[in-house]
Amino acid sequence: ASGDGKPAKFQPPPKPVIIDKQKQRAERRFLSPEFIPPRGRTDPLKYYMERKDMIQRRKVFNIPEFYVGNVLAVTTADPYANNKSNRFVGICIQRGGKGLGATFVLRNVIEDQGVEVCYELYSPRIQAIEVLKLEKRLDDNLMYLRDALPEYSTFDVNMKPVSHLDHEEIPVNKLQVRMKPKPWSKRWERPKYNIKGIKFELPESKMKEAQKWSQPWLEFDMLREYDTSKIEEKIWKEVSEGLKK
Amino acid sequence: VQDCHVLRYISKEESGGKTAKLLVGGKNVSPFFKPESAHQIFKEAGVPCKQKVSTFNVTDDAIIKPGTPLYAAHFRPGQFVDVTAKTIGKGFQGVMKRWGFKGQPASHGQTKTHRRPGAISTNKASKVYRGKKMPGKMGNIYRTSFGLKVWRINTIHDIIYVNGSVPGHTNCLVKVRDSKLPTCKEYNKNPPFPTFFADGDEKLPEDLFDEEIFKFTDPSVTYT
């Protein structure tokens, strides 16, 4: 009550905010990047036919949601192996290709030898894909792990899958990776690669010299803009309806 | 396959060749950009104006009435096919790109000579032969790739999935014909003859696959 003398205006109590966990779960939707067609002059009928085939394959064989930077285990059919199948565990360093030719590269260090294997997502030889650890990293492309110390690319082949709750956000691992001494396979300090996940221990003069190759006009270039939001909406509807059937 | 119709039948005597011919028209275009003389053939057949008209040599028992539409289901998976189209035009090109000449070394004293043809004839000939490979306009000519296997046919959208590569740029017009290679004759034995009629009795499924191809409804491949 205020010291005015007049009766205080009735303030209704604040309404309780109910956070529905189920709604939160439905909000996060993930559309695999290979569904989005690239910009070009091809007939959209071609991408429509590819998407139908991709949805067919996904109905038969489950392709889980995964990002660059998480650890996967892939079993493929191999006619020359003992059990006729081959299991490889590794960290996903890049996802390329669109449509049925979508690929992902897994990297691991086995007995002090770095091994990278490129798998096609929709290949009929793949028998199982398991996500052992679901997390994102600071970059889209982890090719710099080739020039990093081998401890950042080693993963135990018999690693147990780390459980991940459905409604939580995907954790972003802000790990800064330490590199081997130069020369590297690519000049990762240059702004063209835009890498945030390396702890550069180079002198200031080298970092300044690398900024000479920066192209600050690129982000304002209107001809390079490719707005995929509307396309993604349509494709998301198509894919989710196709998978529900 | 986009709106293909049979336009005219030319008998063996009329054309002067060895077999009868059928004129077939391709993609529909607006008649306002075609000359009046071209409109007559399409009016006789009762069909909208087509972008491209090509001839097919046909035996007498395979003659089709002008005006019938042709579909992708005319071909079946397992058949072999020849595909003709205009290659991508590269413009005026030098001898290294056009004919695959080796050129000259980049260094070791070469003066202004790195991509030139070098010698064009011998001393004794004292002339340059006709057809000598020289720089010129490359591409934009009709070329055929032979013996391509058909793996899959989509009857609803009229799409033929063919093995290997096909001449031409994306979305260009292409002529597809039964293969004339002697090794492929036995595979082309049972086609829908004379063609696949849409208003006929047989109802085809949406997708026709070859036996050896992996269908996406099958589970993953396992070796035993």
Side-chain angles (χ1 to χ4, degrees):
Chain A
S2 54
D4 268 0
K6 297 175 195 167
K9 224 175 160 179
F10 173 65
Q11 302 274 351
K15 284 198 181 141
V17 179
I18 307 168
I19 304 172
D20 200 4
K21 288 248 166 105
Q22 276 182 344
K23 269 191 192 165
Q24 270 190 346
R25 226 176 283 164
E27 265 169 32
R28 196 186 67 163
R29 27 197 221 177
F30 171 71
L31 184 65
S32 218
E34 69 263 6
F35 279 105
I36 302 162
R39 204 160 67 138
R41 282 168 57 173
T42 21
D43 202 354
L45 178 64
K46 177 198 171 201
Y47 298 122
Y48 173 67
M49 298 304 297
E50 286 208 317
R51 255 176 281 141
K52 268 189 6 187
D53 285 335
M54 280 148 81
I55 294 171
Q56 266 294 334
R57 175 80 180 144
R58 277 185 183 238
K59 278 194 214 169
V60 176
F61 170 72
N62 171 43
I63 298 176
E65 168 187 348
F66 68 97
Y67 302 88
V68 169
N70 62 5
V71 184
L72 297 181
V74 174
T75 21
T76 39
D78 195 351
Y80 308 113
N82 269 347
N83 281 345
K84 303 296 171 195
S85 69
N86 186 353
R87 185 182 139 105
F88 186 75
V89 174
I91 184 170
C92 174
I93 45 178
Q94 108 174 340
R95 285 183 81 160
K98 299 281 179 201
L100 284 170
T103 55
F104 61 100
V105 182
L106 293 184
R107 179 183 164 83
N108 201 347
V109 170
I110 299 177
E111 291 178 18
D112 294 332
Q113 172 64 47
V115 177
E116 288 184 10
V117 186
C118 178
Y119 291 107
E120 289 180 10
L121 274 177
Y122 296 95
S123 161
R125 274 175 55 194
I126 298 186
Q127 283 161 345
I129 305 182
E130 300 136 26
V131 173
L132 296 177
K133 197 176 183 190
L134 187 64
E135 64 173 10
K136 275 199 214 185
R137 291 279 200 112
L138 291 167
D139 305 304
D140 255 344
N141 203 320
L142 297 177
M143 285 292 176
Y144 56 80
L145 287 179
R146 291 171 184 166
D147 298 315
L149 300 171
E151 62 196 31
Y152 294 100
S153 317
T154 31
F155 294 93
D156 184 26
V157 181
N158 304 318
M159 196 162 110
K160 294 278 159 61
V162 168
S163 66
H164 172 79
L165 296 160
D166 236 354
H167 61 92
E168 273 178 7
E169 295 256 346
I170 303 152
V172 179
N173 191 353
K174 302 202 174 158
L175 177 66
Q176 299 265 316
V177 157
R178 290 184 58 206
M179 306 289 277
K180 291 192 227 169
K182 270 201 156 193
W184 297 329
S185 61
K186 294 250 181 321
R187 295 168 205 252
W188 302 113
E189 74 274 8
R190 295 233 170 132
K192 162 176 152 189
Y193 298 107
N194 197 17
I195 291 184
K196 295 167 194 135
I198 300 184
K199 185 168 183 177
F200 290 111
E201 279 148 11
L202 299 169
E204 275 293 317
S205 52
K206 296 275 182 188
M207 298 301 290
K208 263 192 157 180
E209 204 193 315
Q211 291 301 317
K212 265 203 252 175
W213 279 268
S214 69
Q215 295 172 316
W217 58 84
L218 267 191
E219 55 172 321
F220 303 107
D221 195 343
M222 292 179 79
L223 285 182
R224 274 173 213 260
E225 279 170 12
Y226 184 38
D227 188 24
T228 50
S229 46
K230 288 179 194 161
I231 304 172
E232 267 190 51
E233 286 284 326
K234 282 189 209 163
I235 296 178
W236 167 259
K237 274 191 209 160
E238 211 186 298
V239 167
S240 50
E241 271 160 40
L243 285 174
K244 270 180 207 160
K245 282 185 209 169
Chain B
V1 175
Q2 286 175 331
D3 324 305
C4 286
H5 283 95
V6 175
L7 296 178
R8 196 195 270 184
Y9 159 66
I10 303 173
S11 63
K12 199 159 75 172
E13 296 78 35
E14 228 180 291
S15 64
K18 289 188 197 166
T19 47
K21 293 198 213 294
L22 277 180
L23 279 180
V24 174
K27 194 165 126 176
N28 282 352
V29 278
S30 81
F32 300 114
F33 298 99
K34 292 274 173 198
E36 285 290 332
S37 50
H39 287 186
Q40 210 210 343
I41 306 181
F42 304 117
K43 268 190 200 166
E44 280 170 31
V47 134
C49 278
K50 304 287 183 187
Q51 183 171 340
K52 181 87 192 138
V53 173
S54 57
T55 48
F56 288 86
N57 290 340
V58 177
T59 46
D60 281 322
D61 49 346
I63 303 170
I64 308 174
K65 188 177 168 188
T68 45
L70 299 173
Y71 299 98
H74 176 93
F75 297 101
R76 287 296 142 93
Q79 273 189 320
F80 283 80
V81 131
D82 293 340
V83 176
T84 314
K86 266 197 174 174
T87 47
I88 299 179
K90 314 258 172 176
F92 195 99
Q93 287 299 336
V95 106
M96 272 176 86
K97 193 182 191 68
R98 197 176 181 211
W99 300 112
F101 283 13
K102 276 178 78 175
Q104 287 84 25
S107 72
H108 288 298
Q110 309 289 324
T111 42
K112 308 201 290 188
T113 325
H114 304 288
R115 300 183 68 98
R116 299 181 78 192
I120 52 178
S121 190
T122 50
N123 190 11
K124 202 172 175 193
S126 68
K127 70 168 189 174
V128 177
Y129 295 116
R130 187 190 307 269
K132 174 85 195 71
K133 293 180 181 179
M134 282 188 161
K137 292 252 161 52
M138 179 179 160
N140 206 23
I141 47 173
Y142 284 103
R143 282 286 188 247
T144 318
S145 35
F146 297 97
L148 304 179
K149 185 165 172 175
V150 170
W151 286 108
R152 181 176 162 182
I153 291 184
N154 187 307
T155 34
I156 297 187
H157 298 280
D158 276 335
I159 302 177
I160 308 175
Y161 287 68
V162 128
N163 195 24
S165 60
V166 139
H169 55 86
T170 42
N171 304 338
C172 77
L173 287 181
V174 131
K175 176 175 167 178
V176 181
R177 217 185 52 208
D178 292 324
S179 191
K180 66 175 216 281
L181 295 180
T183 44
C184 306
K185 271 193 183 156
E186 47 176 82
Y187 294 100
N188 289 355
K189 283 292 174 186
N190 307 324
F193 199 75
T195 190
F196 171 73
F197 294 104
D199 48 350
D201 292 330
E202 39 170 328
K203 298 268 172 186
L204 288 178
E206 182 188 341
D207 266 313
L208 288 166
F209 292 92
D210 189 45
E211 297 142 359
E212 292 172 29
I213 205 176
F214 170 77
K215 303 178 196 28
F216 286 103
T217 40
D218 296 342
S220 310
V221 158
T222 39
Y223 298 99
T224 38

